[in-house]
């Protein structure tokens, strides 16, 4: 009888361990290539008329994440003082009412570069660099290991490793730089991409790219004398 109790408890412990360390990964998030869409995209770009117009304006598109109206002196005397940005407004157009298609950077960037709602091509969620590998990680980071500022959120469904590697803007989508390049422009991306790492910005019409692929990266080394920065926590930055 005692052997059966030992066997029972060992079996129970083994099942608990397997339950905790069993890899999480749901194939519902797998990403399939839209080969027909890529063919149609290429045909469309080849059909765009090239116009040799020397009077074409230069285009500089500046995107700033998490920038509010109170962060610019342009709007109602906000702080800090931003004279150069204010100068752009004084010689151009100042909008006092604007909306974004998503409250997160990656989906809204995808919408701006494609001109389409991100839900139309499966990009309504923010790209993550890492998900929980198993249930044991959740328990460890939730109750025993300080992972601040990242907090584990339990969900039984997470992408597979392949889906994580494939995440990003679909190659079948037509991006603004591809249209500009087809019309004779030279294009460049400076700063954050954050639209997937499987394909580089230069695969989407940019001739040149300098910056980083993911979020939460510093543009310069910390404590650079010429630049004011105030990190929230050193572990927050990659």
């Amino acid at each position: 009888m005692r052997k059966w109790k030992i066997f029972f408890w060992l079996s129970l412990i083994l099942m608990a361990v397997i339950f905790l360390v069993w890899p999480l990964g749901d194939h519902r998030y797998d990403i399939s290539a839209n080969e027909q869409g890529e063919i149609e995209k290429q045909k469309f770009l080849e059909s765009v008329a090239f116009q040799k117009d020397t009077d074409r304006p230069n285009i500089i598109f500046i995107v700033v994440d998490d920038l509010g109206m109170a962060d610019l002196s342009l709007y109602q005397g906000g702080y800090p003082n931003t004279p150069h940005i204010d100068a752009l407004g004084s010689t151009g157009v100042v909008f006092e009412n604007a909306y974004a298609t998503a409250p997160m950077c990656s989906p809204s960037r995808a919408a701006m570069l494609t001109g389409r709602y991100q839900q139309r091509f499966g990009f309504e969620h923010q790209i993550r660099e890492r998900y929980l590998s198993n249930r044991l990680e959740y328990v460890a980071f939730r109750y025993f290991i300080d992972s601040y500022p990242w907090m584990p959120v339990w969900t039984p469904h997470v992408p597979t490793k392949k889906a994580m590697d494939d995440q990003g803007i679909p190659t079948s989508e037509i991006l603004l730089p591809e249209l500009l390049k087809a019309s004779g422009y030279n294009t460049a991306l400076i700063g954050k991409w954050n639209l997937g790492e499987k394909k580089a910005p230069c695969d989407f019409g940019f001739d040149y790219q300098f910056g980083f692929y993911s979020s939460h990266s510093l543009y310069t080394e910390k404590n650079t004398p010429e630049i004011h920065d105030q990190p929230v926590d050193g572990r927050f930055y990659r």
Side-chain angles (χ1 to χ4, degrees):
M1 189 67 178
R2 183 179 180 184
K3 290 183 178 180
W4 280 106
K5 287 184 177 180
I6 295 175
F7 177 77
F8 171 79
W9 285 109
L10 287 177
S11 300
L12 192 63
I13 293 172
L14 179 61
M15 287 188 293
V17 170
I18 293 175
F19 177 78
L20 289 173
V21 301
W22 190 267
L24 297 175
D26 196 323
H27 289 286
R28 73 176 68 186
Y29 299 108
D30 288 354
I31 301 172
S32 301
N34 184 357
E35 297 180 357
Q36 183 59 36
E38 293 181 6
I39 294 174
E40 295 176 358
K41 167 185 173 177
Q42 190 59 37
K43 288 182 179 179
F44 174 79
L45 291 176
E46 291 174 355
S47 68
V48 176
F50 178 85
Q51 298 180 355
K52 294 183 179 180
D53 186 358
T54 57
D55 295 329
R56 284 196 308 260
N58 292 324
I59 301 173
I60 301 177
F61 190 22
I62 303 174
V63 180
V64 183
D65 290 341
D66 306 322
L67 181 70
M69 292 180 62
D71 299 324
L72 301 174
S73 55
L74 174 66
Y75 293 100
Q76 302 175 356
Y79 182 82
N81 189 32
T82 54
H84 298 294
I85 296 179
D86 296 359
L88 293 175
S90 63
T91 58
V93 177
V94 176
F95 296 97
E96 297 183 353
N97 197 3
Y99 300 88
T101 59
M104 300 171 291
C105 53
S106 291
S108 59
R109 285 169 176 266
M112 285 187 288
L113 285 177
T114 60
R116 306 178 68 209
Y117 287 115
Q118 57 273 5
Q119 288 89 343
R120 295 186 182 275
F121 49 91
F123 210 120
E124 62 268 31
H125 299 294
Q126 182 71 21
I127 291 177
R128 301 298 180 188
E129 297 175 357
R130 192 183 187 286
Y131 294 88
L132 291 172
S133 300
N134 51 53
R135 297 174 180 87
L136 182 60
E137 279 194 347
Y138 172 78
V139 174
F141 288 113
R142 180 69 175 175
Y143 300 106
F144 301 101
I145 301 175
D146 182 13
S147 59
Y148 177 83
W150 309 116
M151 293 296 295
V153 177
W154 171 247
T155 173
H157 306 293
V158 299
T160 61
K161 179 63 168 62
K162 184 180 184 303
M164 289 174 60
D165 294 337
D166 291 342
Q167 64 183 342
I169 197 165
T171 53
S172 56
E173 290 300 311
I174 300 173
L175 271 64
L176 176 61
E178 293 177 300
L179 291 174
L180 293 174
K181 188 176 175 63
S183 299
Y185 276 88
N186 294 321
T187 58
L189 173 69
I190 311 297
K192 185 174 80 168
W193 170 240
N194 207 200
L195 292 174
E197 298 187 16
K198 186 174 182 180
K199 291 291 185 178
C202 294
D203 294 321
F204 288 96
F206 287 106
D207 296 309
Y208 174 81
Q209 184 251 339
F210 179 80
F212 43 90
Y213 280 72
S214 302
S215 60
H216 306 122
S217 298
L218 293 176
Y219 283 85
T220 64
E221 294 294 331
K222 286 191 291 186
N223 301 320
T224 301
E226 296 83 8
I227 298 177
H228 173 74
D229 60 62
Q230 187 177 359
V232 177
D233 190 295
R235 291 170 294 173
F236 185 74
Y237 298 100
R238 296 180 64 244

